[in-house]
Amino acid sequence: IINNYLGGTQGGAVDKASPSGMHFRDSKRKVDYVLAYHYRKRLARHPAGAGSPEPTRESASLALVSNGGTGKGCAELQRQDGGQYAPQERPRPLGVEVIELGPLDTLEEEKRLQREEYERNLVEVGLEIEKDPENKSQGLSFVRIHAPWQVLSREAELLKIKMPTKKMYEITEEGGILKTLNEIWCKLTKPLQPQVPQQENTNMKSLSYPFSREKIYLYNIKDKDTFFDNATRSRIVREILKRISTKARNSTGIGTLIANHVYDAAYPLHDGEYEGQNDDMNERKLLYREWARYGVFYKFQPIDLIRKYFGEKIGLYFAWLGLYTEFLIPSSVVGIIVFLYGCITIEGDIPSKEMCDQHNAFTMCPLCDKFCDYWNLSSACATARASHLFDNPATVFFSIFMALWATMFLEQWKRLQMRLSYFWDLTGLEEEEVSFLSEHPRPEYETKLLQKKLKNKSITTENSNEVRCSLLFSDEKEKLTWSDRMPGYAANFGLILFMIMLTFSAVFGVIVYRITTAAALSFSTNETTRSNVRVTVTATAVIINLVVILILDEIYGAVAKWLTEIEVPKTEKTFEERLILKAFLLKFVNSYAPIFYVAFFKGRFVGRPGHYVYVFEGYRMEECAPGGCLMELCIQLSIIMLGKQLIQNNLFEIGIPKLKKLFRKLKDERTEPKEMDTNQSKDPQQWDLDYILEPFTGLTPEYMEMIIQFGFVTLFVASFPLAPLFALLNNIIEVRLDAKKFVTELRRPDTVRAKDIGIWYNILSGIGKLSVIINAFVIAVTSDFIPRLMYQYAYSQNGTMHGFINHTLSYFNVSHLKAGTQPENSPFAQDVLFCRFKDYREPPWSQNQYEFSKQYWAVLSARLAFVILFQNLVMFLSVLVDWIIPDIPKDISEQIKKEKSVLLDFFLKEEHEKLKLIESFIARDKQKHKSGTKGERIRAASFCQFNRCQKGSFASFSSQHTEV
């Protein structure tokens, strides 16, 4: 069955390689999976005049693997080889000098033995493999794996993979006005639809049922080679690779072997080239033309084809990303309208006019000690006018709108997810399948468990294999307890706390930079430098913040993975969820800590003239700009958001994979000697091309960058209404960038079935609820919305905003300044008796001078009342929207019920026909042999089988599982 070829005898067989690079050399059997490894041969010393080294020829002959009875001698030789870990003990041909192995040779020999045993075990479970000859002293070799029908059908039944049956049923469409609107929408968006093959009759759906060899007559099997598509075949082979073990080092599955560098990589093949002049169209080329190019950015995504090629988990990611991008369109439009409203009403804003009026002449207190002079409030006119663009009544409406937008987005995603689950046959995803795939222990967990067992029982290495077998089949008796994981948990707690403190330290470092730089620039003799101190400090500090965030993001991603590994989670699902939570916590704090500081802490602990708060015994805490901190928050948010999207999400995603690919290529060229490979085909095969690509490492980075962006769009949207617009522009590029990366730059991922996006939905929901609270505080605390409202309706003489600036400024007697802090060489020192500062405090002529005034407490009460009112109102509206919109579309819930009844009717009909056929055979047998006993026995067996089909044959499943 296995047509391996030998280096010296079948060199001509290489020329018969499959033209497509997708099949074995017989051009008939598909390559379902590929294992790649680097080998290094041991060179023995030979007597003078000796020919080609015997060990090399022997290793080439050992490459022959047999799955039938013809390779008995070879199998015996392999068993003999496998039992001897010291290769020099094997009998050698005459004339070859036996030498001792060095450390590298010993390690390489051990890897070779593990590979041979693993591949032999693969053959024993029914897989067919084909290997390359190792005809160089060192190099790269591939093991190609093919799963025949017997293996595919057995494993599909074990995994409960749903396959289409012969039965087709009609999908009932919604009638009335919804149907009419849907038809109009389809006609309008026809140019935007990708040109991919569609089902001939979209109103018909094939009935699916978990594959069963006993009920094979139910399925529409026209060709056994194409009944299971490439993605399903590779998934089946991957499951086999994950559970096959080797005795050496007690390795379980391909993951452990790759971790131990026995193999370098294991991957399914792409469907061929994505570019080329040939007319052979494959799914990869179709995805590239209609989805993975920037030129088709205006088209919808071919979600069904993505799911078919990459699997349900990746299909759900791109469906979620597409819906999120579509939802950003209305929020961007509303954000632009809010911004334009600020531009239109800026000329009529009375507080801005008062601040810019030269005749008001508000003399402000110095911004720093000694070197700063008194200044006029009208010099901050530009800042005040710019603040109105984002600090106006429309931003309150926009905050409420975005909170409801987030709720509607999550509700719509639940509906789309359910619709996709129905059409992708995920609604009845069997619990057995989920548990079989997700609850399989990770190799690292099994290794840790084995070490614990060996340590407790003090068992020697010779019988450790028996221990391992008992570990694998023990359910509750042997497992890692909390005491085993306590060092990992302690390290997690300590390091996460340290990383969060490191982030806060970085923020504090930038604060110190701003304070000291502002003080240093104030000493400058250049008038232009002194006048632009605030702009210079703000811009440079934000850029420093961005660089620190980008650096710490990369560090935190690696630290989160390492912390999750030392926890030793049992299953892959648990590992992924813990990794996501750690990475999200660290990156959330890292990305938003500087923004939280500007929004809620900057300018709150400054003090007042004559009693300022100092750091490092000479530097005053920084204050907000005269127009308020909202403008600075807007600058901080926009630069960090745009910088992360441009640099991290785009440049890093494009540049880093290319650098890794170049590095891997240079490494391979450096390690492999320049030898002529006579068995190397002229054109590289598909497995060669795919090996050069970057390995797929999961969807966590893709989701993470979008979740952080979702936070920028929702959490502080009151300060930056244009955030959804910039997110939309980024995502239009992001969709095609991710698509191109998956199609052209990554190895084909293993297909994974998933019913939802997992823990990411909970994180999105949490961010949506947190955004309501944060936006309430941004409007109430950071902006001037509440003080303006209070002044207009409580303190204004005529109900207008005239006099608002004077109302918010307090008086300070300059004679009360501390000695040594008065402005030096001030031309206004003799003329100024009182200076103003922004706060609600009693004037110096009051009995309680410089204490908080009644207005301060009134405004503070109004701020807190607004937070409570805003939060409860928006939460109520969100719950109302959640209640009004059902999670499952009505038509889908009806179709699911219909599918169950159709499935039952189909089974009864098929079993009835089968029963009639059996009875006809019985009647014919009666007439021929005139014996009724046998007929009754067959009839009873048929009835027993009929009853068993409804419940599933548990005994059959158990016996098949035992065989596997």
Side-chain angles (χ1 to χ4, degrees):
I1 293 181
I2 311 307
N3 295 351
N4 290 348
Y5 54 94
L6 308 182
T9 59
Q10 297 186 17
V14 181
D15 298 329
K16 298 179 183 179
S18 171
S20 64
M22 300 291 299
H23 294 80
F24 277 14
R25 300 189 179 275
D26 56 11
S27 298
K28 295 179 181 179
R29 290 171 292 173
K30 284 184 179 178
V31 177
D32 297 318
Y33 224 84
V34 174
L35 306 179
Y37 64 91
H38 278 87
Y39 65 89
R40 175 179 172 274
K41 286 190 176 181
R42 172 174 52 83
L43 298 177
R45 295 196 301 265
H46 299 327
S52 178
E54 280 299 321
T56 304
R57 190 163 63 244
E58 183 183 24
S59 64
S61 64
L62 286 179
L64 181 61
V65 182
S66 176
N67 193 23
T70 58
K72 184 176 179 182
C74 180
E76 290 175 353
L77 177 60
Q78 288 174 343
R79 284 196 296 270
Q80 181 186 1
D81 187 12
Q84 297 178 355
Y85 287 92
Q88 66 270 19
E89 295 177 5
R90 287 180 293 179
R92 298 286 181 180
L94 295 175
V96 177
E97 184 180 353
V98 177
I99 62 171
E100 296 206 2
L101 297 176
L104 288 177
D105 289 330
T106 305
L107 181 62
E108 188 61 37
E109 185 71 12
E110 185 180 352
K111 291 180 182 178
R112 186 184 65 81
L113 293 173
Q114 288 189 63
R115 285 195 294 267
E116 287 181 356
E117 182 187 0
Y118 186 72
E119 291 158 17
R120 188 163 62 248
N121 293 341
L122 293 179
V123 173
E124 287 176 359
V125 297
L127 294 177
E128 301 175 6
I129 66 174
E130 181 181 71
K131 292 184 67 176
D132 287 336
E134 300 177 0
N135 50 12
K136 295 194 293 185
S137 60
Q138 60 180 4
L140 177 67
S141 187
F142 296 95
V143 179
R144 295 173 288 282
I145 302 173
H146 168 76
W149 169 258
Q150 292 81 2
V151 175
L152 292 173
S153 58
R154 181 190 70 207
E155 297 295 323
E157 184 174 4
L158 177 65
L159 296 174
K160 294 187 177 296
I161 297 176
K162 278 192 171 184
M163 299 304 296
T165 62
K166 299 176 183 177
K167 179 67 176 176
M168 301 281 290
Y169 68 96
E170 186 177 1
I171 300 174
T172 306
E173 293 184 349
E174 292 181 328
I177 190 171
L178 289 176
K179 183 178 180 181
T180 306
L181 291 174
N182 187 43
E183 290 176 353
I184 295 173
W185 174 253
C186 290
K187 289 180 181 178
L188 291 175
T189 58
K190 190 174 182 180
L192 306 179
Q193 298 293 339
Q195 302 298 317
V196 296
Q198 300 287 344
Q199 187 178 338
E200 294 180 1
N201 191 353
T202 55
N203 294 331
M204 301 296 292
K205 184 179 184 295
S206 178
L207 189 65
S208 297
Y209 186 73
F211 187 81
S212 172
R213 288 176 290 179
E214 291 183 355
K215 302 180 180 66
I216 198 167
Y217 54 87
L218 298 177
Y219 306 97
N220 189 18
I221 304 177
K222 296 179 181 178
D223 185 359
K224 290 185 177 181
D225 290 337
T226 58
F227 179 67
F228 296 103
D229 59 18
N230 291 346
T232 306
R233 296 173 69 99
S234 64
R235 175 185 163 209
I236 289 173
V237 175
R238 179 72 181 188
E239 290 302 322
I240 297 175
L241 295 177
K242 283 165 65 175
R243 71 168 183 259
I244 296 298
S245 60
T246 59
K247 295 179 182 178
R249 287 197 178 185
N250 303 304
S251 301
T252 305
I254 189 64
T256 309
L257 293 175
I258 292 176
N260 294 334
H261 305 291
V262 177
Y263 290 101
D264 290 341
Y267 52 91
L269 292 181
H270 278 292
D271 279 0
E273 289 284 357
Y274 62 90
E275 286 181 314
Q277 301 299 326
N278 56 344
D279 297 330
D280 296 335
M281 181 58 69
N282 56 61
E283 291 181 351
R284 187 188 188 194
K285 185 179 291 187
L286 193 60
L287 282 171
Y288 179 73
R289 290 185 179 180
E290 298 295 328
W291 178 54
R293 293 188 299 117
Y294 296 113
V296 292
F297 72 92
Y298 59 92
K299 289 188 176 183
F300 292 114
Q301 298 184 92
I303 294 297
D304 290 327
L305 185 59
I306 297 169
R307 170 252 178 177
K308 181 183 177 184
Y309 192 80
F310 291 111
E312 285 80 5
K313 192 171 185 178
I314 295 176
L316 284 173
Y317 164 71
F318 281 104
W320 174 84
L321 181 58
L323 181 69
Y324 172 49
T325 305
E326 289 175 11
F327 257 72
L328 284 173
I329 296 175
S331 60
S332 301
V333 172
V334 177
I336 293 172
I337 293 173
V338 169
F339 179 74
L340 292 177
Y341 171 82
C343 296
I344 293 170
T345 58
I346 191 171
E347 296 299 331
D349 183 46
I350 296 174
S352 298
K353 285 183 177 181
E354 289 185 352
M355 188 177 289
C356 296
D357 189 1
Q358 299 282 350
H359 301 289
N360 284 331
F362 294 110
T363 302
M364 306 297 292
C365 296
L367 295 174
C368 65
D369 296 341
K370 293 176 66 175
F371 297 98
C372 295
D373 201 356
Y374 304 102
W375 57 286
N376 199 319
L377 185 60
S378 60
S379 62
C381 174
T383 307
R385 290 172 64 87
S387 296
H388 179 73
L389 299 177
F390 305 102
D391 189 2
N392 56 67
T395 57
V396 180
F397 158 75
F398 190 56
S399 298
I400 299 174
F401 170 81
M402 287 303 295
L404 298 179
W405 171 89
T407 304
M408 292 188 67
F409 164 64
L410 293 176
E411 287 301 310
Q412 187 61 28
W413 167 245
K414 285 194 287 188
R415 291 169 61 83
L416 176 61
Q417 190 172 255
M418 182 54 66
R419 188 175 295 275
L420 292 176
S421 296
Y422 167 69
F423 283 104
W424 292 354
D425 296 320
L426 299 172
T427 51
L429 194 62
E430 302 292 337
E431 291 300 323
E432 293 85 353
E433 180 182 355
V434 175
S435 63
F436 183 85
L437 295 177
S438 62
E439 297 302 321
H440 187 74
R442 299 173 61 244
E444 293 82 359
Y445 179 85
E446 291 185 340
T447 303
K448 187 77 173 177
L449 201 61
L450 177 62
Q451 291 174 354
K452 176 187 175 183
K453 183 82 173 183
L454 293 174
K455 183 178 179 181
N456 292 343
K457 298 293 182 71
S458 301
I459 297 178
T460 57
T461 310
E462 284 74 8
N463 54 4
S464 63
N465 187 50
E466 298 177 5
V467 176
R468 187 181 176 282
C469 291
S470 66
L471 285 173
L472 292 177
F473 294 101
S474 62
D475 296 327
E476 300 296 333
K477 294 181 180 179
E478 295 294 340
K479 62 181 181 181
L480 295 182
T481 60
W482 65 270
S483 57
D484 298 318
R485 291 194 171 100
M486 185 53 66
Y489 289 152
N492 269 264
F493 179 78
L495 268 176
I496 289 175
L497 194 62
F498 171 76
M499 291 296 174
I500 292 175
M501 295 306 297
L502 178 63
T503 302
F504 291 157
S505 301
V507 174
F508 182 72
V510 175
I511 295 170
V512 172
Y513 163 80
R514 291 154 71 123
I515 295 172
T516 54
T517 306
L521 292 178
S522 301
F523 300 158
S524 175
T525 57
N526 190 332
E527 181 63 28
T528 307
T529 303
R530 288 202 306 273
S531 60
N532 294 318
V533 167
R534 191 178 295 276
V535 177
T536 305
V537 170
T538 302
T540 55
V542 171
I543 293 172
I544 292 172
N545 263 327
L546 175 62
V547 173
V548 170
I549 287 172
L550 293 177
I551 294 172
L552 290 182
D553 255 0
E554 299 302 317
I555 296 173
Y556 288 167
V559 169
K561 185 176 181 181
W562 180 74
L563 288 176
T564 310
E565 287 174 349
I566 64 175
E567 273 189 37
V568 199
K570 182 175 181 180
T571 63
E572 288 292 343
K573 183 179 179 182
T574 311
F575 178 87
E576 186 178 13
E577 288 181 351
R578 293 185 182 181
L579 173 62
I580 289 169
L581 286 175
K582 289 182 184 65
F584 174 73
L585 174 64
L586 293 174
K587 294 191 176 186
F588 181 89
V589 173
N590 183 41
S591 298
Y592 299 119
I595 302 172
F596 268 93
Y597 164 73
V598 174
F600 303 121
F601 297 101
K602 185 178 180 181
R604 313 289 172 200
F605 311 103
V606 177
R608 58 170 178 81
H611 195 270
Y612 283 113
V613 177
Y614 291 88
V615 291
F616 302 119
E617 300 180 355
Y619 297 102
R620 273 165 47 178
M621 284 295 292
E622 55 180 348
E623 308 177 44
C624 289
C629 271
L630 196 70
M631 188 62 200
E632 189 168 342
L633 176 62
C634 172
I635 295 172
Q636 184 102 0
L637 180 65
S638 59
I639 292 180
I640 291 178
M641 178 182 176
L642 295 176
K644 274 181 68 68
Q645 290 184 166
L646 180 64
I647 299 174
Q648 192 175 41
N649 298 0
N650 293 326
L651 293 182
F652 281 12
E653 281 195 30
I654 296 172
I656 290 180
K658 292 186 180 297
L659 290 175
K660 287 183 177 178
K661 183 178 177 181
L662 179 63
F663 176 76
R664 193 185 306 110
K665 184 178 179 181
L666 293 175
K667 182 181 177 182
D668 289 342
E669 289 178 354
R670 188 175 67 251
T671 55
E672 291 188 17
K674 301 293 182 179
E675 300 180 26
M676 290 298 294
D677 191 353
T678 57
N679 291 325
Q680 186 68 30
S681 57
K682 295 180 180 179
D683 297 326
Q685 297 296 307
Q686 190 62 45
W687 48 84
D688 296 304
L689 299 173
D690 286 3
Y691 178 77
I692 301 173
L693 301 178
E694 188 72 16
F696 174 69
T697 56
L699 288 170
T700 301
E702 316 299 335
Y703 272 115
M704 188 66 71
E705 65 185 59
M706 288 296 105
I707 297 295
I708 295 297
Q709 185 202 82
F710 183 79
F712 282 121
V713 168
T714 54
L715 291 180
F716 296 94
V717 75
S719 64
F720 190 39
L722 295 179
L725 175 63
F726 290 114
L728 174 63
L729 297 176
N730 173 80
N731 285 9
I732 291 174
I733 301 173
E734 180 72 22
V735 171
R736 306 302 163 179
L737 180 64
D738 284 347
K740 188 173 182 181
K741 183 170 68 174
F742 273 86
V743 173
T744 66
E745 297 178 3
L746 293 180
R747 294 175 190 158
R748 187 171 184 172
D750 294 303
T751 56
V752 179
R753 285 171 71 81
K755 293 190 294 184
D756 48 41
I757 59 174
I759 198 173
W760 296 111
Y761 180 84
N762 300 328
I763 294 176
L764 284 168
S765 180
I767 291 177
K769 291 178 174 60
L770 182 63
S771 68
V772 177
I773 302 171
I774 290 179
N775 280 305
F777 276 99
V778 167
I779 295 170
V781 177
T782 311
S783 74
D784 282 338
F785 176 74
I786 299 300
R788 292 185 183 192
L789 213 61
M790 285 290 295
Y791 176 78
Q792 186 173 359
Y793 294 104
Y795 299 109
S796 176
Q797 300 292 335
N798 51 9
T800 64
M801 293 301 295
H802 289 287
F804 172 73
I805 297 297
N806 184 54
H807 176 75
T808 58
L809 297 177
S810 299
Y811 287 91
F812 180 77
N813 191 334
V814 297
S815 62
H816 294 164
L817 287 171
K818 289 183 178 180
T821 62
Q822 299 92 342
E824 293 182 350
N825 304 321
S826 171
F828 310 106
Q830 303 298 327
D831 303 328
V832 177
L833 297 177
F834 297 98
C835 65
R836 311 293 294 272
F837 63 99
K838 189 173 182 179
D839 207 346
Y840 291 101
R841 291 184 181 267
E842 296 289 347
W845 52 83
S846 172
Q847 292 181 351
N848 303 317
Q849 60 179 6
Y850 307 133
E851 297 291 328
F852 287 118
S853 63
K854 293 179 180 179
Q855 289 89 340
Y856 171 83
W857 299 110
V859 170
L860 181 62
S861 302
R863 291 181 194 270
L864 296 177
F866 174 82
V867 169
I868 296 171
L869 179 65
F870 181 90
Q871 177 185 340
N872 285 280
L873 174 64
V874 175
M875 287 294 186
F876 169 75
L877 293 176
S878 300
V879 172
L880 184 65
V881 169
D882 191 1
W883 178 73
I884 291 174
I885 302 176
D887 292 347
I888 304 176
K890 185 178 179 181
D891 60 323
I892 295 299
S893 61
E894 292 175 355
Q895 293 299 330
I896 292 173
K897 294 177 184 176
K898 180 180 178 181
E899 187 177 53
K900 291 180 179 179
S901 63
V902 170
L903 182 64
L904 182 60
D905 294 340
F906 177 59
F907 272 172
L908 291 175
K909 182 181 177 181
E910 289 290 333
E911 289 294 336
H912 183 65
E913 292 179 357
K914 181 181 176 183
L915 189 61
K916 286 174 62 178
L917 184 63
I918 293 175
E919 287 179 343
S920 67
F921 279 119
I922 293 172
R924 190 181 306 169
D925 190 61
K926 277 184 176 182
Q927 294 175 3
K928 187 174 181 181
H929 298 285
K930 297 182 180 181
S931 174
T933 307
K934 186 176 180 180
E936 289 297 325
R937 188 164 60 248
I938 296 174
R939 184 180 293 107
S942 69
F943 274 104
C944 178
Q945 184 179 8
F946 171 73
N947 292 330
R948 194 168 63 242
C949 80
Q950 303 298 327
K951 301 178 182 178
S953 177
F954 178 77
S956 171
F957 175 82
S958 301
S959 63
Q960 291 159 12
H961 182 75
T962 305
E963 289 177 7
V964 172

